[in-house]
Amino acid sequence: MQAFSKPVTTPASLQLAHTHYENFPVASLLLPAHLRYAVSVIYQFAREADDIADEGDASPSERLQALQSYEDELLLIQAYIQAEKPFFKTLQQVVKTHQLDVQSLLDLISAFKQDVVKTRYANFEELLDYCRRSANPVGRLMLQLYAADTQQNRQWSDHICTALQLINFYQDIAIDLQKHGQHARIYLCQDEMHAAGIVEQDLKNQRLDDIWQAFFLYNVARAEQFLLAGKPLGHQLTGRIGFELRMIVAGGERMIYKLKRCHGDIYHHRPTLHAFDWPIILLKALFKQ
């Protein structure tokens, strides 16, 4: 059985948030100092749990067992009982200090568990349900930290988080195909693939004809629609928090641009953000574009 590393305590959480690649800033200096610590702890929780589901060579049962131990700790926190593991004691203090909804953390674990056992999605409704638990809870937790958890803000946040999750799916099509052998994941909707005349073997064969390109761009455009639908949140939130959110949205927009430009060839050219992209993202966020 693979030994999963135990989560470490901050300031390692801040280091992880600043060194692990993401398509958006995490706990950056743009955030007020009193929030950076909490954001980094939440990020570490999500990153470590996601890695349990996704990285290494553990068996599905080992992954589920490790994730269950995370869920057990969260249930203690939710019941106002002292957490047992050191990192979760830290997380419990963050939850208590900022009055965070533990259910959002439990939703993340639910999604990561699903990643272990579910590798195909019949339709877009199934995929959206996954996003509802894998991505949207993070945005809602951030709104709680920002004291901006209104119904309208949650709706905008959900749109942004769903968009970022979809972008990540399309960015990682080739990677997800290579991982976990026969348990390789495909986050493209099965019914839409069938309607377009695309089969799984086409992905393995790195199909790049007009049909695949049109299908790929259709999915990217739909992610873009979600991102644009949530963009008003960056103008609704004020100060440094709003600026950080506009940076996140601008990062998503930059990734959309790169996905469109690759013309479906995510097999040889995985789109990512580089150093030269960040000034563009910064300017978009600064001028509220």
Side-chain angles (χ1 to χ4, degrees):
M1 176 176 177
Q2 173 175 325
F4 292 105
S5 60
K6 295 181 180 179
V8 293
T9 56
T10 50
S13 294
L14 280 169
Q15 182 180 4
L16 177 64
H18 294 158
T19 57
H20 195 284
Y21 174 82
E22 299 289 354
N23 291 327
F24 46 85
V26 178
S28 76
L29 293 176
L30 296 174
L31 280 180
H34 73 283
L35 294 180
R36 287 199 297 271
Y37 172 81
V39 171
S40 68
V41 171
I42 293 170
Y43 177 79
Q44 181 182 353
F45 163 79
R47 182 74 270 152
E48 299 260 0
D50 188 26
D51 285 348
I52 288 174
D54 202 43
E55 302 298 334
D57 56 2
S59 69
S61 61
E62 290 168 344
R63 296 179 191 277
L64 290 174
Q65 182 179 359
L67 288 170
Q68 185 60 50
S69 71
Y70 275 44
E71 183 174 328
D72 291 343
E73 291 288 330
L74 291 178
L75 291 174
L76 290 176
I77 296 173
Q78 190 177 52
Y80 302 100
I81 300 173
Q82 179 70 49
E84 296 179 356
K85 298 179 181 178
F87 172 77
F88 284 93
K89 291 179 181 178
T90 301
L91 180 61
Q92 186 169 34
Q93 187 59 49
V94 169
V95 167
K96 180 179 179 181
T97 299
H98 297 278
Q99 297 182 315
L100 302 181
D101 180 12
V102 179
Q103 185 57 50
S104 292
L105 300 171
L106 287 166
D107 286 343
L108 291 173
I109 294 297
S110 170
F112 299 147
K113 283 184 172 181
Q114 180 169 306
D115 263 337
V116 177
V117 299
K118 185 177 177 66
T119 61
R120 302 292 184 274
Y121 289 82
N123 50 53
F124 196 59
E125 288 70 27
E126 282 194 1
L127 200 60
L128 283 180
D129 178 67
Y130 174 80
C131 294
R132 180 186 61 79
R133 289 172 289 120
S134 70
N136 298 2
V138 176
R140 294 190 174 206
L141 287 165
M142 295 304 102
L143 289 177
Q144 292 166 32
L145 284 174
Y146 303 159
D149 187 22
T150 67
Q151 183 175 355
Q152 178 62 77
N153 287 350
R154 284 195 299 271
Q155 183 177 351
W156 283 329
S157 174
D158 286 351
H159 286 319
I160 293 171
C161 292
T162 292
L164 295 176
Q165 180 70 87
L166 294 173
I167 289 169
N168 185 244
F169 289 156
Y170 309 142
Q171 176 187 24
D172 286 349
I173 288 174
I175 291 176
D176 288 332
L177 276 174
Q178 295 167 4
K179 279 186 178 180
H180 310 310
Q182 62 180 354
H183 300 294
R185 299 173 193 148
I186 295 178
Y187 292 101
L188 299 169
C189 303
Q190 298 289 295
D191 61 342
E192 294 176 352
M193 288 176 62
H194 178 75
I198 296 170
V199 297
E200 291 184 14
Q201 191 61 42
D202 291 330
L203 305 181
K204 297 175 183 178
N205 293 341
Q206 301 182 359
R207 179 176 179 176
L208 287 174
D209 62 5
D210 291 344
I211 292 176
W212 164 252
Q213 291 184 36
F215 179 74
F216 181 79
L217 290 175
Y218 164 77
N219 280 277
V220 173
R222 182 164 54 189
E224 184 177 29
Q225 290 173 1
F226 275 94
L227 190 63
L228 293 176
K231 195 171 181 177
L233 181 60
H235 303 283
Q236 177 69 22
L237 299 180
T238 60
R240 294 164 68 180
I241 292 170
F243 189 66
E244 170 100 346
L245 195 280
R246 292 195 298 276
M247 286 280 291
I248 291 172
V249 172
E253 290 178 322
R254 189 65 179 168
M255 280 303 307
I256 291 286
Y257 169 79
K258 288 175 174 261
L259 287 167
K260 288 180 177 179
R261 282 181 59 87
C262 80
H263 301 293
D265 187 6
I266 34 69
Y267 309 107
H268 305 101
H269 311 284
R270 178 179 182 259
T272 57
L273 296 177
H274 301 283
F276 60 81
D277 291 305
W278 289 104
I280 298 172
I281 293 169
L282 181 64
L283 288 173
K284 285 179 66 70
L286 187 63
F287 292 103
K288 301 182 179 181
Q289 295 181 353

